[in-house]
Amino acid sequence: MIEQVHIYHTNDIHSHFENWPKISSFLQKGKSLHQNFFLFDIGDHVDRWHPYTEGTFGKGNVQLLNELDYTAVTIGNNEGITLAYDELNTLYQDASFDVLVANLFEKSGNRPKWAMPSKIYYTKNGIKIGVLAVTAYFGKLYEILGWHLTAPIPELEAELQSLKQEADIIILLSHLGIHDDEKIASLHPEIDIILGGHTHHVLPEGKYISDTLLAAAGKHGYYVGTVTLDIDIESKKVLRKKALLYETKFLPSLEEEELIVTSFQEKGKRLLNSFLVDVPKTLQTEWFKPSPLPQMLCEAINEWCRSDCALINAGLLLGNLEKGPITRFDIHSILPHPINPCLIELSGAELKEVILQTLNPKWPPLELKGLGFRGKVLGNFIYHNILLDHQTVYINGFKMEEQKIYKLGTVDMYTFGHFFPELLDAKKKYFMPEFIRDVMMWKLQKMYSEK
C-alpha cells in the first residue's frame, strides 16, 4: 500500500505582499485537496523594507503564516539580524506553527524557548517525517545582537545522529543557499529532501544529488513549491519524489487581490504615522549630482559613528523630505533598507584607495540588488570630511598620512566584499540594531527640535 504526502513550501518572500493573495489562495486549495499536507517556510518571510512589517516588527508576517496554518518555519538572516534581540525573542510569541532552527542559541548556551532544532511529524498512516532546520552563518552579527549562532553544518550533523534513528523520512529546511545545500546532499544521503532558500535559486522541478531531492522557490513569492512523495507503508521507504514549482503570475487572480495588497501598505502607514519633527524647507535628493539630503545622512553617519570622515552612496535616499511635519512613515519611505551604520579602521593608504575607487564611473548607474539595499541605483558617492584635490586626499582639513589609522563611518553593505576589497578584513564595528533610517531620524530631531 502506498501513502502519498504533499509538501508545500515558500522561501524568501521578503514581505513582498503583492503576491501573497494568490499564494494564500493556492495554499488553501492545496490543503483542502490533500490528506497528508505539510507546509513550510524557509526563512526571510520578514523584511523591514515594507511598512507593514516595519510597523509590526514582523508580527504581521507571523499572523499571515498563522492564517495559512503553516506546519513549521525556520528563520532567515532577515528575521535573525534585522530585529533587535527583544523583537526576535517575541516575534513568534503568537505563532500557531513550530519554529525550527538547530544552530541558534542564547548567549547562555540554551536554546530560545520559541525554537527547537527538529521535530517529527506523522502522516495519516503513522509514517514519521523528521524535519530539522539551519540558518545562514552570520555569527558575528548575531553576537552583537545578543545571540549565539553556531556553524550550521556541524549542528545539522549532530542533530541528524538522533533524528535518523527515529524518523522514516528526513527533510531539511535550509536557509543556507544552493552551494551549501549541494554540499550537504553529497555528505548526507540520508536526508531525503532539502527545501532551500537564501540564495533565491529557482529549481523548477527540483534537483537530485544522489538520492537527495533539492527544492527551492526563488524569491518574493514569484513561485510556490510543492514536493510529492509516494511512500510504501510497510517498508516505510520513499518510492517516488517529485518537485514542482508554480509560477505565481499564472495562478488564478482574486477579485479583491488589489484591495488586499493595498491594505498592507495602508496598515503600515497608519502604524508608522507618528510625528517626528517639522522641517522648515524641502530637503531634496539627487542621485547623480550634489543635494542636501544625502549630504545630511552622510554627516549624520559620521556623527553617529564618531568617525574621522564618512562616505555613502546617494542612491540610499529614495526621495525628498517635503517641507512641514515629518513622520516615521516618511523616513521609512525614503530609507527602507535594513542597512546598519558601520565604523571601519583603515590606514591612510587603504582609505585613499577606497576613495579613489568610489570615483569609478561604473558605480553611479549600477542597479544594485541585495546586501540589504532596497533602492534602484547606487548613485554618486557622497563624502563628509573628505576632500580630494587631484591625487591628494585631505581628511577633516589635513593632508592624509599614509601610515596613520583613520576611522571611516559608512554603511555595512560595503563591507561584505562586493565593493572595496580593503574593507573585507579591516577592523570594523557594526552599529546594531540601528538602521541608517534611525540615524536620519536622530539627525533631523537634533537639527530641528532644538531650534
Side-chain angles (χ1 to χ4, degrees):
M1 183 177 175
I2 294 174
E3 183 174 33
Q4 198 164 73
V5 175
H6 298 270
I7 297 159
Y8 285 57
H9 58 100
T10 55
N11 62 271
D12 297 278
I13 297 293
H14 284 281
S15 294
H16 275 264
F17 300 130
E18 64 269 23
N19 295 310
W20 194 251
K22 283 185 175 181
I23 292 171
S24 177
S25 177
F26 178 78
L27 293 176
Q28 287 172 334
K29 183 177 180 181
K31 184 180 179 182
S32 70
L33 290 174
H34 307 303
Q35 272 198 328
N36 289 311
F37 176 87
F38 298 92
L39 177 56
F40 302 105
D41 185 80
I42 323 301
D44 278 2
H45 193 284
V46 167
D47 194 315
R48 291 177 61 182
W49 79 271
H50 196 287
Y52 182 56
T53 299
E54 176 75 354
T56 63
F57 292 108
K59 291 184 174 67
N61 297 64
V62 171
Q63 181 56 37
L64 296 177
L65 296 169
N66 281 344
E67 289 169 3
L68 292 177
D69 200 22
Y70 269 72
T71 307
V73 310
T74 194
I75 68 168
N77 43 290
N78 272 266
E79 287 89 3
I81 59 176
T82 72
L83 294 168
Y85 176 87
D86 287 339
E87 292 160 2
L88 176 56
N89 207 31
T90 59
L91 176 62
Y92 299 106
Q93 63 186 8
D94 296 322
S96 58
F97 48 83
D98 296 317
V99 182
L100 307 179
V101 54
N103 60 321
L104 180 68
F105 298 85
E106 301 274 3
K107 281 198 169 180
S108 64
N110 297 322
R111 294 190 183 277
K113 293 179 180 178
W114 45 268
M116 62 186 85
S118 64
K119 186 171 178 177
I120 291 180
Y121 300 93
Y122 294 85
T123 69
K124 300 297 181 183
N125 286 294
I127 300 295
K128 298 177 183 178
I129 300 178
V131 183
L132 72 160
V134 283
T135 196
Y137 188 51
F138 291 91
K140 182 177 180 180
L141 301 182
Y142 276 89
E143 182 181 348
I144 293 170
L145 290 168
W147 300 101
H148 176 55
L149 194 74
T150 57
I153 294 180
E155 207 67 59
L156 176 154
E157 290 172 337
E159 192 64 27
L160 267 179
Q161 294 305 310
S162 58
L163 193 62
K164 67 186 180 182
Q165 303 302 319
E166 302 178 54
D168 303 312
I169 311 295
I170 295 178
I171 298 173
L172 171 64
L173 312 183
S174 167
H175 196 85
L176 301 183
I178 182 65
H179 300 300
D180 278 342
D181 290 353
E182 290 171 345
K183 177 181 177 181
I184 291 166
S186 298
L187 291 172
H188 296 287
E190 66 268 34
I191 298 175
D192 294 280
I193 301 166
I194 298 177
L195 303 178
H198 186 51
T199 46
H200 300 174
H201 47 292
V202 177
L203 301 175
E205 295 183 356
K207 178 179 181 178
Y208 274 96
I209 295 181
S210 299
D211 289 331
T212 301
L213 175 62
L214 277 61
K219 66 176 182 178
H220 299 176
Y222 296 148
Y223 301 90
V224 183
T226 66
V227 176
T228 305
L229 303 179
D230 289 341
I231 304 171
D232 184 282
I233 293 177
E234 292 187 8
S235 67
K236 300 181 180 179
K237 300 295 183 184
V238 177
L239 303 178
R240 186 179 73 102
K241 309 173 192 174
K242 181 182 178 182
L244 189 63
L245 289 185
Y246 291 84
E247 197 165 357
T248 311
K249 69 180 180 181
F250 296 124
L251 296 178
S253 296
L254 285 71
E255 287 185 14
E256 68 276 20
E257 186 175 325
E258 189 174 335
L259 184 64
I260 294 170
V261 172
T262 303
S263 73
F264 292 128
Q265 184 77 14
E266 291 303 315
K267 287 175 185 176
K269 185 174 182 178
R270 287 195 299 271
L271 289 165
L272 297 175
N273 200 34
S274 54
F275 171 79
L276 289 174
V277 71
D278 268 304
V279 297
K281 62 180 180 179
T282 296
L283 299 170
Q284 293 180 314
T285 293
E286 297 283 353
W287 293 337
F288 305 116
K289 62 182 181 180
S291 57
L293 203 53
Q295 195 65 55
M296 182 185 294
L297 177 59
C298 190
E299 181 181 328
I301 287 174
N302 187 77
E303 293 175 10
W304 184 272
C305 296
R306 298 183 180 181
S307 51
D308 299 310
C309 55
L311 66 83
I312 62 169
N313 58 293
L316 287 168
L317 278 300
L318 304 191
N320 304 331
L321 284 181
E322 301 297 330
K323 175 183 176 180
I326 301 299
T327 67
R328 282 182 63 207
F329 178 78
D330 296 322
I331 302 299
H332 184 273
S333 297
I334 62 168
L335 285 167
H337 329 277
I339 289 176
N340 306 99
C342 183
L343 180 69
I344 306 172
E345 293 189 15
L346 297 167
S347 70
E350 291 169 328
L351 179 55
K352 181 178 179 179
E353 183 60 32
V354 169
I355 293 167
L356 291 176
Q357 287 177 65
T358 67
L359 303 177
N360 191 322
K362 74 175 183 179
W363 291 127
L366 180 68
E367 295 182 6
L368 179 65
K369 302 293 182 185
L371 303 175
F373 187 71
R374 304 293 184 255
K376 296 182 179 179
V377 297
L378 201 64
N380 288 349
F381 276 91
I382 308 297
Y383 315 103
H384 182 74
N385 286 347
I386 295 174
L387 176 64
L388 184 63
D389 182 10
H390 296 94
Q391 292 293 305
T392 304
V393 178
Y394 295 86
I395 302 297
N396 208 10
F398 296 93
K399 186 177 179 180
M400 175 183 285
E401 301 174 35
E402 288 202 351
Q403 301 304 315
K404 183 177 177 179
I405 299 299
Y406 292 91
K407 295 180 178 179
L408 174 68
T410 188
V411 292
D412 63 5
M413 73 175 188
Y414 304 152
T415 68
F416 303 128
H418 298 269
F419 288 90
F420 312 111
E422 293 80 6
L423 304 188
L424 188 60
D425 296 320
K427 182 179 179 181
K428 56 185 76 77
K429 175 184 178 181
Y430 296 103
F431 291 85
M432 302 177 74
E434 299 89 359
F435 292 150
I436 53 175
R437 60 175 168 268
D438 297 307
V439 175
M440 178 59 92
M441 287 189 279
W442 167 79
K443 178 67 171 177
L444 288 166
Q445 290 179 312
K446 182 180 176 183
M447 289 180 65
Y448 298 117
S449 296
E450 294 174 356
K451 294 185 177 180

